[in-house]
Amino acid sequence: MTTAISAQGSKLEISGAIQAAKSITGLALGFPTIVTSPAHGFNNGDVVTFAALAGNTVLNGLTLVIKNKTANSYAVDVDTTGGAAYSAGGNATPVAWIKISNLLTFKGFDGQAAELDATNLDSTAKEYLLGLQDNGTFTFDVHRDFADAGQQAVDAAKRGATLKSFKLTLPNARTKTFNAYVKNSPLEGAVDQLVKTTGVNLRITGDVVDA
């Protein structure tokens, strides 16, 4: 039986305004770190910035992606194994997400790691190591809606050369969250066709987090 999923119902979002902070009441140290935050309301793939944690302060100042959420806890990919115990306080401040409406197609995460030539005079054939991963680009097409807040936010990010967070949510609730610059947002029209913005090119910088 196939395990394939339909792309229908996929959602792409861009980060918006900073929202109200949610209180933290505990940390379970390890990898990942488990954060206790009663009724936090976050979803997998959300982006939050941590502050004011006492005892174990490793998360303070970090902006991280939420994974494995439950009603009162979630995980972040930071290794706090062997660190100081959490003692009190702390909060996580999320960004709002703005849906980019009328999504038609998407593709991306097409980069690859650099090849580092490790060949030396003892080698009997060319030898390589892999360098840092380049996560490449993410492109998408939409039917144009000049009143849509998500499409407006994409245009604003392009004009301002502003680094933004993006979250792709698939119909099976799996998410990919990443930071990117909007390089272009071309407009397309033709006889007897809807106006589109096609080949919007996002240059990914940093990691892509699956949740």
Side-chain angles (χ1 to χ4, degrees):
M1 183 176 179
T2 182
T3 57
I5 63 170
S6 171
Q8 198 66 30
S10 297
K11 179 172 63 173
L12 182 63
E13 298 168 287
I14 184 172
S15 58
I18 302 299
Q19 300 296 287
K22 301 293 185 177
S23 296
I24 293 169
T25 60
L27 291 182
L29 305 186
F31 184 76
T33 299
I34 307 300
V35 180
T36 301
S37 178
H40 53 76
F42 298 147
N43 292 310
N44 288 336
D46 282 354
V47 175
V48 299
T49 301
F50 291 91
L53 290 154
N56 191 299
T57 60
V58 172
L59 299 185
N60 285 341
L62 297 182
T63 299
L64 300 167
V65 177
I66 286 174
K67 305 175 73 170
N68 304 328
K69 65 103 174 176
T70 68
N72 299 307
S73 70
Y74 52 86
V76 291
D77 280 344
V78 174
D79 191 353
T80 52
T81 304
Y86 167 83
S87 61
N91 58 70
T93 302
V95 297
W97 291 109
I98 307 170
K99 181 181 177 182
I100 302 169
S101 297
N102 299 342
L103 185 64
L104 295 170
T105 67
F106 61 86
K107 63 180 179 179
F109 315 115
D110 51 1
Q112 59 184 359
E115 293 183 354
L116 308 181
D117 191 338
T119 311
N120 56 49
L121 292 178
D122 293 322
S123 301
T124 58
K126 295 287 287 186
E127 297 181 79
Y128 295 94
L129 296 173
L130 289 183
L132 293 174
Q133 178 65 47
D134 178 352
N135 284 299
T137 62
F138 184 91
T139 60
F140 65 94
D141 302 339
V142 294
H143 283 140
R144 185 69 203 199
D145 179 353
F146 290 97
D148 178 65
Q151 294 186 26
Q152 290 176 350
V154 170
D155 289 342
K158 182 192 72 170
R159 289 193 300 270
T162 308
L163 184 65
K164 303 292 285 186
S165 295
F166 292 84
K167 181 169 70 167
L168 175 68
T169 303
L170 299 176
N172 62 358
R174 300 293 296 178
T175 64
K176 285 183 173 290
T177 303
F178 56 96
N179 293 327
Y181 292 99
V182 181
K183 295 186 66 177
N184 66 357
S185 56
L187 197 63
E188 178 182 315
V191 173
D192 204 25
Q193 290 188 18
L194 297 175
V195 175
K196 301 176 184 177
T197 298
T198 60
V200 180
N201 191 352
L202 309 181
R203 185 54 168 103
I204 299 171
T205 177
D207 201 8
V208 176
V209 180
D210 295 290

